[in-house]
Amino acid sequence: MTFAAIEAGFAASLSTRSAEDVARIGALAPVLALTPTEHAALAGALTRLEGSAKPGKSPRARQTPSIEVYDPNELTRAISLHTKPASEDGLDEILRASYVSQGATAIADALQRIARHKDGARRTLAAPGWNHLLDVVVALHGLAHLDKVRDVIANAVRLSIRSQSGLLLPPLLFNGPPGVGKSWVAGAIAKALGFSPMKFAMGVSNSLSSITGLSPSWKDANVGRLATEILFGQSAAPFFILDEIDKLGATHYQNDPHGALLTLLESETARDFKDELLEIPFRVDRVMWALTSNDRSLLPGHLLDRLLVVDVPEPDADTRRRIALSLFADANASAGNAFAAPDEDVLDAVAAVGLRQARRIFALAMGVAAAAERTTVEAGDIASARRLAGADLRLAPKMGF
């Protein structure tokens, strides 16, 4: 990978960003966790942009890598199995009709949907660029407890770019007490890498069945999200966030949920995974996993051995402001980006309420500001939002932030 290619990659990334974003990157550039060559390339890209010079040669478009996620012969066999002609035996016909009306119909429909996929058995892998590397080191800059995970992810991005192969990350576990920003960190990493992550609250569902599917023996049998995203979708590498995994327990759907999760995290078994509804094995070994827990001592050792564990401490004031600003951006996006970035006193007021409630408080505060015909949110709006929320502030949310 030449210096010119790296500089062109950074330049292309900067050209798509807002002036505010470029200014922040420029201010942080000397202290970002980049290699010496990357530092020089970023400096060159910033200088070029500042001087309004014409951009250099654009980096050559990268061909998105892909893999075959299932054996087409297995799909053909499964379809044949579920389209056998009915027996001429009357009793068998009645029993078969009863069976087909439920689980077998769901299986047959799912198999036909897979067979009609425009890309056959091939699905794309995550192919990050220099813009994603920049986003990762900026998003995690200044968070000392995340240095390890930042370096692991940044190096994985570098390897993917240089080898022209798909991104491969170890499964991550962010552990710490409630309200310290574990889910926010997981979401920030996914966003920096260009993913729209799928979030699952284990404290609510207490089961992996929504991810791994339900057996046809159940009345509400259906494929899980893994099969939906990979077999029905376009990518072999979706990003899953499992919140409060320490609350996962045995249910009538799964007797050993930790064993089921281990199957997904272990690369060898993940290459041959079967959805509970379907009968064809497919690959889930390129899925990105980020888990959170309040108490990792509740998790079995053999599961922890498969995870890169990051302990998340109570955030300091500056980190709370950063998280609050990120949550404001989410709320502002829902409001059509109608509001200007808030001052520190606003961010501190929200952090004082509790970051778990920040999205709701910001949404209410924006309503207060709109009623006053303002496009800025003030500290007084936060106080009004707290009063509007009232006793509801004491309710625990279903998922962390």
Side-chain angles (χ1 to χ4, degrees):
M1 185 65 63
T2 66
F3 176 87
I6 299 173
E7 184 181 29
F10 282 144
S13 173
L14 292 172
S15 68
T16 63
R17 299 171 186 266
S18 67
E20 182 181 16
D21 196 15
V22 171
R24 179 169 181 251
I25 292 173
L28 292 175
V31 293
L32 291 176
L34 298 171
T35 67
T37 300
E38 291 163 358
H39 270 295
L42 178 58
L46 286 164
T47 299
R48 178 191 299 171
L49 190 65
E50 183 180 356
S52 299
K54 291 183 179 181
K57 185 178 179 181
S58 297
R60 185 173 59 182
R62 178 180 175 184
Q63 185 175 3
T64 304
S66 64
I67 58 172
E68 197 169 79
V69 296
Y70 66 85
D71 181 349
N73 293 326
E74 286 287 337
L75 177 61
T76 300
R77 181 198 62 78
I79 290 175
S80 175
L81 179 65
H82 288 280
T83 55
K84 285 183 178 180
S87 167
E88 294 181 2
D89 183 286
L91 178 60
D92 183 57
E93 179 70 18
I94 293 173
L95 292 174
R96 186 178 188 281
S98 175
Y99 175 69
V100 168
S101 66
Q102 299 181 28
T105 298
I107 296 173
D109 289 346
L111 294 174
Q112 290 296 336
R113 184 175 177 184
I114 296 167
R116 292 192 299 268
H117 196 287
K118 65 181 182 65
D119 296 322
R122 300 200 73 81
R123 303 291 184 272
T124 59
L125 297 174
W130 294 108
N131 57 316
H132 297 107
L133 175 64
L134 196 55
D135 285 339
V136 167
V137 297
V138 169
L140 302 183
H141 173 73
L143 304 176
H145 59 285
L146 298 178
D147 283 354
K148 177 175 69 172
V149 71
R150 178 204 62 207
D151 291 345
V152 167
I153 294 172
N155 288 340
V157 171
R158 293 182 178 108
L159 177 60
S160 175
I161 294 172
R162 294 176 183 276
S163 66
Q164 297 291 292
S165 60
L167 179 67
L168 189 61
L169 292 179
L172 309 170
L173 173 66
F174 298 100
N175 177 77
V180 297
K182 303 183 295 293
S183 298
W184 174 81
V185 170
I189 290 171
K191 182 179 179 181
L193 291 171
F195 291 98
S196 295
M198 282 147 286
K199 298 182 180 181
F200 299 86
M202 297 293 99
V204 176
S205 67
N206 199 34
S207 169
L208 290 174
S209 58
S210 60
I211 298 172
T212 59
L214 272 179
S215 166
S217 61
W218 293 99
K219 183 179 179 180
D220 51 351
N222 206 345
V223 296
R225 285 301 294 272
L226 281 169
T228 300
E229 295 299 320
I230 297 175
L231 295 180
F232 299 164
Q234 308 303 317
S235 175
F239 198 112
F240 281 63
I241 297 176
L242 307 187
D243 200 57
E244 296 185 321
I245 196 68
D246 47 331
K247 294 184 179 179
L248 184 66
T251 68
H252 57 290
Y253 291 125
Q254 286 175 319
N255 292 324
D256 182 16
H258 291 124
L261 181 58
L262 190 62
T263 299
L264 301 175
L265 302 181
E266 186 67 56
S267 59
E268 290 186 6
T269 53
R271 291 177 64 91
D272 205 32
F273 171 76
K274 282 187 179 181
D275 183 274
E276 290 289 333
L277 182 73
L278 302 177
E279 297 178 5
I280 60 168
F282 65 99
R283 294 183 61 169
V284 298
D285 57 312
R286 303 307 290 259
V287 175
M288 314 292 166
W289 297 99
L291 288 58
T292 75
S293 66
N294 296 328
D295 184 0
R296 61 183 166 114
S297 69
L298 299 176
L299 299 174
H302 60 272
L303 179 59
L304 290 172
D305 289 343
R306 269 73 174 181
L307 301 167
L308 177 61
V309 180
V310 181
D311 289 316
V312 181
E314 186 72 28
D316 58 22
D318 183 61
T319 301
R320 285 183 174 275
R321 291 189 193 104
R322 286 179 61 181
I323 296 174
L325 182 60
S326 174
L327 297 173
F328 170 85
D330 291 344
N332 197 22
S334 298
N337 293 313
F339 293 87
D343 293 333
E344 281 192 359
D345 60 334
V346 173
L347 300 178
D348 289 339
V350 171
V353 176
L355 292 171
R356 279 178 174 262
Q357 307 292 342
R359 287 190 184 93
R360 181 157 53 126
I361 291 298
F362 274 132
L364 292 171
M366 287 175 181
V368 174
E373 300 183 348
R374 284 185 280 104
T375 57
T376 57
V377 174
E378 301 175 354
D381 300 330
I382 302 300
S384 296
R386 292 181 64 177
R387 288 192 295 272
L388 289 172
D392 286 344
L393 279 178
R394 296 191 294 270
L395 297 179
K398 291 184 177 180
M399 187 179 294
F401 68 93

